[in-house]
Amino acid sequence: MNKLVIEGGVPLKGEITVQGAKNAVLPILAATVLSADECIIHNCPWLRDVEKTGVVLEKLGCMIKREASTLCVDTVGINSCRIDERLMREMRSSIIFLGAILARCGKAEVGMPGGCPIGLRPIDLHLKALRQMGAEIIEEHGYLRCSCKKLKGSCIHLDFPSVGATENIMLAAVTADGTTVITNAAREPEIIDLAIFLNKMGAGVRGAGSSCITIEGVDKLHGAEYRIMPDRIVAQTYLIAAMITGGEIVLRGAEPHHMQAGLSALSEMGAKIRADKGCIYLKSEKKIHSVRIIKTMPYPGFPTDIQSPFMALAAVADGTSVFVENIFENRFRHVDELIRMGADIKVEGRSAVVRGVKGLYGANVEAYELRGGASLVVAALAADGITTVSGTEFIDRGYENIERQLAFCGAKIKRVWT
């Protein structure tokens, strides 16, 4: 076990190169299963979720080799179609292996997924779509047992633009017989990243990034070499960290057009921002303004993943901000911990009213999920005194060496092992 110990009150100043995107690399690693070949993935962040995904691939029979930020995956020797319940419980996103394994092996057996406790994330959309494509799925004893001689293309409408369901359908459809059309598809940049990678493997995916994706099934895929897109959530977290401390930061390797909703909110709250392709500069003014209302929505709306770090920023803003969480019903678990640090937040249902205070103070707090943990780190950087953040295993699921990146910019932060 370890904790982050943070002494607040130091303005961040410096440069950070943004890591590869967690939400892009995981489905791309799942996609490697589709080819009996080697894939080389660059800009692969070393995160707990990536480590667990590597374990899943090895359990399936793949050979994994890592050198710095490059991961080589050789899937020639796949000899299993099963992911045990323990691994699935540790990482909910492992459900995206279902479509890939089924397409490669004609059968799949996976445990019911787990992950961060941020609310219900039903997989019924995944299962409904795979059944439409001809899969037989039995749910029993905590496992999903799926089989299909050959998946068939289908017209699939998603009741909600689920990122995971869109990815699973894409993975299943690329080698299916015929054409698959997904309507009301998720539009996130990570969907585009997956589509580009699949096409480099020989797939026929069109329309990614729009609400209608068309996949022409092909007989087989081959290996490919690819570079993962930058992580837009991590990038915005570091921008918020600089702003809350009254600092100045440059992000290298960022994609500003992936985060327009967040950059707009930061500007509204008083940040001075310059953004060009691959680079974002932010300078914090002395006064942080409240933001009238933030409503989380599917992309290109305000992302749920960055709501909690923005709430930490609003906690020290001048005025009152309102947050409405429309994606996950249990994504305010960080609120009690921010209140422990002196924040004034009232929650009712899926809405939170944040009245800015003059300052936060250090305390012993605990992260209960990934993004909530990031919000506590952000708050601690601005707090008076020392904050100890436990539950770092959640933060490490999505942030690569968060303490080192922040320390490069002057933060007084260290990881202490207990």
Side-chain angles (χ1 to χ4, degrees), residues 201-219:
M201 296 173 74
V205 183
R206 304 192 309 275
S210 74
S211 60
C212 182
I213 300 176
T214 302
I215 305 113
E216 299 285 349
V218 297
D219 290 335

Side-chain angles (χ1 to χ4, degrees), residues 162-231:
S162 162
V163 174
T166 301
E167 291 168 343
N168 232 336
I169 298 165
M170 291 168 66
L171 293 172
V174 286
T175 56
D177 281 339
T179 302
T180 299
V181 178
I182 311 170
T183 55
N184 198 31
R187 300 165 59 190
E188 275 74 2
E190 293 81 5
I191 298 291
I192 300 174
D193 221 37
L194 176 60
I196 295 171
F197 177 67
L198 288 170
N199 287 342
K200 289 195 75 170
M201 296 173 74
V205 183
R206 304 192 309 275
S210 74
S211 60
C212 182
I213 300 176
T214 302
I215 305 113
E216 299 285 349
V218 297
D219 290 335
K220 61 184 296 187
L221 299 180
H222 52 74
E225 188 169 354
Y226 194 66
R227 182 176 179 82
I228 301 295
M229 62 173 276
D231 196 307

